[in-house]
Structure formats: C-alpha cells, structure tokens
Amino acid sequence: MTTDDEQWMRAAIGEARLAEAKGEVPVGAVIVHAGEIIGRGRNLRETTQDPTAHAEMIALREAARALGSWRLTDTILYVTLEPCPMCAGALVNARVPRVVWGCDDPKAGATQTLYTIGNDARLNHRFESVPGILGGECGALLTEFFAAIRANDDSRDGR
C-alpha cells in the first residue's frame, strides 16, 4: 500500500457516498492514469434499472472515452468493494494492470474471495490485485447502509 493508494481510495469512497445519497448500494470506483482520475463511477443499478451499472463498469466506460481507447493499459482501478465476476471480466478485457479494492465481497468477489479472474493464467491478460486498502471504512459504508435498510423494513412491519 502507498499513500497514493489511500488518496485514490478516498476518491472512490467519495463516489460511494454519492451512490448512497441516491439510495444506491454505496460502491464507488475511480480509474487513475498518469496521476489523474480519468474515470469515475458509482453504483447506479436502481437509478438506471441497468444490471450492468456497477461502479467499475461506469468508471471503465468513462476512462475509455477519456483515453480514446478500450485498452486501459497504464491505469489503476480503485474500488470500494471487491469486483464481481462481470466487473473482473471487464477489467481483464480492458487490460487494466492493477486493481485495488477496499473490502472483500464474500457473496460475489471475483478477484480473491470466490474467484481469481484477474490472475487466471488461462486468460489473455492478468492484473495485480491489491486488497484491503481502507477496508474497514469501505466495509462500514456497506454495513451501515444495509443495517439502515433492515431497520427501515422492521419499522414498516410494526416490529
């Protein structure tokens, strides 16, 4: 971990907070190239009713537009939650060389927890995986979000 990793993860946390403010699951991502953010994303599945509107996917699209290329070599993705299989596959396809995340995803994690898509030698590209950057803070965002939903559901049920 570097101080840059913390700095960029804080930017991803900012994106997650923006998602939460819209009632979305608080996951945020940024893509950094040459010391600048070239792609930002936050979960927007509920807002857009698009199953592919994950933070990473949105950040990848924005970064590709910024660079004028689908090949995102020389970039780093920072995301608050370990990428799922769809996002990990997109990161492989985009040739992202380094993926940094905050907290592991025990239900859908595809870079370390359930699968290791980014390190699968059968694929044509692999990426460096860096877990746990500001993991406690990233995990707390999700825990608090879902606790609030459960509390709200309990109050509606008269419990």
Side-chain angles (χ1 to χ4, degrees):
M1 176 180 75
T2 68
T3 52
D4 285 347
D5 286 343
E6 275 194 32
Q7 170 193 344
W8 300 124
M9 187 59 73
R10 292 215 178 277
I13 289 170
E15 293 296 320
R17 291 187 192 285
L18 292 172
E20 182 177 33
K22 292 186 81 130
E24 297 278 355
V25 175
V27 177
V30 296
I31 296 180
V32 176
H33 173 74
E36 291 185 30
I37 295 174
I38 61 165
R40 293 178 180 274
R42 66 188 76 88
N43 270 4
L44 291 174
R45 289 190 314 171
E46 296 299 328
T47 301
T48 63
Q49 291 300 299
D50 177 354
T52 69
H54 289 201
E56 301 96 321
M57 300 297 283
I58 294 166
L60 283 167
R61 288 181 193 118
E62 193 172 292
R65 278 192 300 273
L67 292 179
S69 175
W70 61 266
R71 289 179 185 90
L72 300 181
T73 57
D74 301 322
T75 65
I76 303 170
L77 171 87
Y78 292 87
V79 63
T80 57
L81 179 65
E82 179 184 4
C84 72
M86 173 183 69
C87 294
L91 292 162
V92 167
N93 286 328
R95 312 298 196 264
V96 173
R98 187 169 188 252
V99 176
V100 180
W101 69 90
C103 60
D104 291 345
D105 185 347
K107 294 185 178 182
T111 54
Q112 171 179 284
T113 306
L114 298 178
Y115 306 101
T116 55
I117 291 173
N119 292 305
D120 190 324
R122 296 170 295 179
L123 300 175
N124 65 333
H125 173 75
R126 284 166 292 291
F127 53 76
E128 176 188 359
S129 297
V130 182
I133 304 300
L134 301 178
E137 191 172 338
C138 295
L141 275 171
L142 291 160
T143 300
E144 292 165 12
F145 176 80
F146 288 113
I149 288 175
R150 283 190 297 278
N152 193 23
D153 286 348
D154 289 349
S155 69
R156 275 191 248 161
D157 293 340
R159 292 184 220 168

